[in-house]
Amino acid sequence: MIDETVAEIEEMQTHSSSVVAVKAARALSELTGREYATVEEFVRDVERNSSVLRRANPSHASLYNVHRTITREVEEADPQTVEEGKAALTAAIDRVIERIDGGKKRAAAHTADYLEDGMTILTHDYSSTVNAAIERAVDGGVSLSVYVTEARPRLAGRKTARKLAAIEGVEPTLIVDSASGTYLGECDCVLMGMDCLVGETLYNRVGTYPIAATAADLDVPMYVTGSGAKLIDGGFVFENEYRPASEVLLEPAEDFAIENPMYDATPVRLLDAIITDDGAMSF
């Protein structure tokens, strides 16, 4: 389970960073089925496997937070036996999953309050929290039109468009990334998820920064939403991920290089609000 989860994270089979963090937390439950001679051996194995899962994607703040929390809580439980250690691990996993899932639901609820009937919004990439906020708003009687960027080269926006198309009351339109400036003038706001917020910088799927800059130029409000687990107060250094060139161009490149960064950095001064489970932070 752990090895499979590491491979899934490395291959980016899951687009939502919150979902990634939950899966990585659950993967550690595999250790409760292993045999250990001592509690010290068990705790070391928790730390080792937690580190392996965390390193599968160093850019995921929620992944970092989850495993830092789990290992800390197991250590602070000070188990005296292997069975006590396993119980402490199970409890820690359950707590962090509840925090993430509960945080996403509360963030979505706060975000839904920003969505009014008849609005046209633009979203980028795939965010389970954004989708939940839209669904919640629609359940409350709101109808929305949504422009969805493809989020090349992984094309996660297509998944978003299909998800939104299944929600009655939402009219999604899929657009290529470079067309966002063309349609932003028709939008009432931009709404997207986040990978993490570190200090005064939002790190999110590449393409976020130009959308934020264009929205600011056109006076279109931009809101970012996600669980508070994605806010980092220290000890974390964001590392951008550079994906294979084959995602951009299938045939070999001749006499030119290909860069395929996963994320970009957006200064919070370009945002109108970041909405988490604790409410909105305005800028």
Side-chain angles (χ1 to χ4, degrees):
M1 186 176 180
I2 292 174
D3 291 342
E4 290 83 353
T5 303
V6 168
E8 181 177 338
I9 295 171
E10 290 176 341
E11 294 168 11
M12 260 206 68
Q13 294 176 18
T14 302
H15 295 292
S16 169
S17 58
S18 295
V19 173
V20 166
V22 168
K23 285 188 175 183
R26 286 195 175 120
L28 281 178
S29 63
E30 175 185 320
L31 304 183
T32 62
R34 296 182 183 179
E35 297 296 327
Y36 297 93
T38 66
V39 66
E40 290 79 15
E41 181 185 346
F42 170 75
V43 172
R44 284 196 301 270
D45 207 30
V46 170
E47 293 171 346
R48 183 181 65 81
N49 282 280
S50 180
S51 179
V52 168
L53 284 158
R54 190 170 65 244
R55 290 198 308 269
N57 191 327
S59 65
H60 267 300
S62 48
L63 191 63
Y64 169 85
N65 271 340
V66 158
H67 288 287
R68 181 178 64 172
T69 300
I70 289 174
T71 54
R72 184 185 67 244
E73 291 189 1
V74 170
E75 290 172 358
E76 289 177 352
D78 192 23
Q80 300 302 301
T81 66
V82 172
E83 289 308 311
E84 287 182 7
K86 290 179 178 180
L89 175 60
T90 298
I93 291 170
D94 290 343
R95 279 192 294 269
V96 297
I97 290 175
E98 191 283 327
R99 273 183 224 141
I100 293 173
D101 288 342
K104 284 173 58 178
K105 290 177 183 176
R106 290 188 292 274
H110 291 311
T111 304
D113 292 338
Y114 285 75
L115 304 178
E116 300 177 0
D117 189 38
M119 287 181 71
T120 297
I121 67 178
L122 183 141
T123 192
H124 179 55
D125 196 63
Y126 183 91
S127 165
S128 56
T129 309
V130 168
N131 293 340
I134 290 173
E135 190 162 9
R136 187 181 181 97
V138 170
D139 287 344
V142 168
S143 295
L144 300 169
S145 297
V146 186
Y147 285 111
V148 184
T149 59
E150 281 192 304
R152 290 179 178 271
R154 296 284 294 184
L155 303 173
R158 296 183 183 182
K159 180 181 178 182
T160 299
R162 293 188 183 100
K163 173 79 173 179
L164 297 181
I167 303 174
E168 186 175 354
V170 181
E171 295 184 3
T173 300
L174 186 68
I175 61 174
V176 296
D177 296 350
S178 53
S180 60
T182 300
Y183 293 100
L184 267 171
E186 303 176 18
C187 296
D188 297 292
C189 73
V190 176
L191 176 62
M192 63 176 71
M194 61 175 164
D195 187 71
C196 64
L197 179 71
V198 183
E200 298 294 305
T201 303
L202 166 72
Y203 294 99
N204 198 47
R205 191 71 70 237
V206 70
T208 298
Y209 183 28
I211 290 174
T214 306
D217 185 59
L218 295 174
D219 291 324
V220 177
M222 178 163 172
Y223 307 119
V224 172
T225 183
S227 166
K230 297 181 179 182
L231 275 57
I232 303 297
D233 55 7
F236 174 80
V237 178
F238 184 86
E239 298 179 32
N240 206 346
E241 180 182 358
Y242 289 82
R243 302 288 301 172
S246 58
E247 290 183 351
V248 178
L249 190 67
L250 291 177
E251 63 268 23
E254 296 182 5
D255 301 322
F256 61 88
I258 296 175
E259 293 287 351
N260 185 17
M262 196 70 198
Y263 306 97
D264 59 18
T266 301
V268 295
R269 59 180 170 77
L270 294 177
L271 310 177
D272 288 82
I274 291 179
I275 308 165
T276 71
D277 34 335
D278 292 325
M281 298 182 293
S282 299
F283 303 97

